[in-house]
Amino acid sequence: MAAAQLPFIIACARVVEGSDGAETEAEPDRSDDTDPGPESSDTTSGGGAEATDPALDLFACGFEPSCERVIVHIYPIPPETLPCAARLVLGGGTGVLNSLLTPGPYVDETESLIFVQGDGTALVQTRERHCGREGMECGPTPVWELSQHQICDLVVSPDLEAACEADAAECAFRPWGDVRNCRAVEEHTCEDVAALLAAM
């Protein structure tokens, strides 16, 4: 996964890199470009259903993204990821998308790993870590908290296909905002996901 350099503003005091080189994200801005991660009908931000055991970590499987990871601080970077993601979703095949929301300040990240299944849905896992919010001490970089595995709907506008055919600016799928209606699903191993991706 390629790490991208984000624009910084005074409000973003610093961004801490994680063990895999990914920046950190915080509570996203509620504008169209910084929607929260995949929505879930039975959980709060980025999480899956309540579980007593930690979820299997799909981030550790090492799957290469089909499009470059998009990082959202103020704007999505690189912007080229959005039309790439749109064409993947529209194409009916399988693939991997990855987004990282990092509005800051300090350590405030939510990352989503999205396995497109080719049928309008995706297997999704999110992870997040936060440090530096009001009333929160910021010591060593916090560890990632993983969500349970979820199946989510990939929501596309009716005009998306025409926009992509015309190479218009509206040819854009936002991996952090157009993944919705998530529900808990049985856990998948790395081998399960590899088989899923090879199925098409």
Side-chain angles (χ1 to χ4, degrees):
M1 298 181 179
Q5 186 67 37
L6 303 178
F8 280 75
I9 58 174
I10 293 175
C12 298
R14 66 184 175 89
V15 174
V16 177
E17 287 196 352
S19 61
D20 60 353
E23 282 94 338
T24 294
E25 112 180 304
E27 203 139 301
D29 180 275
R30 297 300 185 190
S31 69
D32 285 343
D33 283 336
T34 54
D35 287 351
E39 297 176 0
S40 174
S41 57
D42 57 0
T43 143
T44 55
S45 96
E50 291 294 327
T52 55
D53 297 323
L56 291 174
D57 184 2
L58 297 180
F59 290 87
C61 295
F63 291 105
E64 288 294 322
S66 305
C67 304
E68 188 172 353
R69 180 179 67 170
V70 61
I71 300 177
V72 185
H73 177 59
I74 300 173
Y75 306 106
I77 297 175
E80 295 80 13
T81 292
L82 305 189
C84 175
R87 291 186 172 94
L88 173 63
V89 171
L90 289 171
T94 60
V96 183
L97 298 174
N98 181 231
S99 69
L100 177 68
L101 301 179
T102 175
Y106 304 106
V107 181
D108 197 0
E109 303 177 316
T110 301
E111 186 171 13
S112 298
L113 193 57
I114 301 159
F115 299 97
V116 177
Q117 300 190 117
D119 61 356
T121 67
L123 172 68
V124 177
Q125 186 174 42
T126 61
R127 62 182 183 179
E128 57 185 286
R129 56 185 180 179
H130 307 285
C131 178
R133 291 177 174 173
E134 184 176 353
M136 183 186 292
E137 293 298 323
C138 206
T141 302
V143 297
W144 289 105
E145 294 182 8
L146 288 166
S147 77
Q148 300 303 118
H149 300 179
Q150 304 168 77
I151 292 293
C152 305
D153 296 328
L154 305 178
V155 179
V156 299
S157 73
D159 301 323
L160 183 63
E161 187 170 1
C164 291
E165 288 177 355
D167 288 325
E170 291 77 17
C171 178
F173 180 85
R174 303 172 308 157
W176 70 94
D178 295 330
V179 179
R180 303 179 188 172
N181 305 321
C182 297
R183 51 269 185 200
V185 71
E186 70 280 359
E187 290 198 346
H188 290 61
T189 65
C190 298
E191 291 76 15
D192 292 336
V193 177
L196 181 156
L197 294 174
M200 295 294 291

